[in-house]
Amino acid sequence: MSRKTAILFLSLLALMLFLPFTQAQEKDAEPQNGLEILMKKHGIANSTAQVTPTICALCGLTPPETSQMPPLESVLKFWNELRGADPDAVVEKVLIFCPDATGDFLVPHYPDDWKPLFEKTDVRVKGTNVLPSVTPVCFGTIFTGAPPETHGIRKYSDKYAPDPIKVKTLFDVFAAAGKKVVIVAQKGCSIDMIFRNRPIDYVSTKSSKESVEITKKFLRESDYDLILCYDGNYDSVMHGNGVHHPKSIAAMRDSIRWYLELSEAADEAWSGKNRLTAFTPDHGAHDNSKGKGTHGSDRADDTVVNHFYRLRMGK
Ligand SMILES: [Zn+2]
């Protein structure tokens, strides 16, 4: 073997031995869990993946096996104080309102609009969502408690795959416990599509306004135990006009008002039941270079959201 060949051989050997080591080190430096990446990046202690384990804990149910985060301590603490002398009391009725894209970035810009929601809320939780910060990926995590790599929707177009959510959801847990669930959402939107083929009811509407009206009707006239009402208005309007356009802000105001109306309707219809209403957006948004709203990145505008929890004991 010539000297040149020997050097080449030794260099190759060193590279072969060293390369896997450096790759492993780089891999270890990245958070392994899709829920933690944004919590670490933005220094926020809560994840939107805690919605499912929290609602399960309030209702005395076991969360799905793939749900990876603990329930929200602040919500459980409030519930424990509220139920006081009745430590076995569980939440019996749940209304979840999903106002698409109404992220934390809006709150400091429009404090007067958000004030009534803060005032009618028992516990506000600021949390991060998951990447990419788009609707089906984020709601997949909210209603399974699992990161995208586990629940199965890793990009927007996955919502068109047959049965894209590969694990058990909050809705499956409720159905298995003999509870009645309905998802009310505009036809063809992510929430209308990704949770199909489960033993629950689905109502596809023509608009968010109609979804809100049907939810009010269900509160008055049905015996559903969990109602999910989806409002995609702010998201659609800001994509076309920009996140601060007057039309977009009108849609944001509708989201807040509709939730407060639904909360009141739930108080009337479920006055005898222990109940939860929650306002749970999936992501925020920001303007692109052309002044149109967009989202999907890891920046705070897209990934930090407030979830609002309100709990009442039945009389
Ligand atoms: Zn969305």
Side-chain angles (χ1 to χ4, degrees), residues 100 135 235 282-283:
D100 202 304
T135 307
D235 185 77
D282 48 350
H283 53 75

Side-chain angles (χ1 to χ4, degrees), residues 47-73:
S47 163
T48 59
Q50 289 173 279
V51 170
T52 284
T54 301
I55 295 176
C56 288
L58 292 170
C59 296
L61 301 169
T62 306
E65 247 176 52
T66 49
S67 169
Q68 290 189 5
M69 297 285 288
L72 292 160
E73 263 177 48

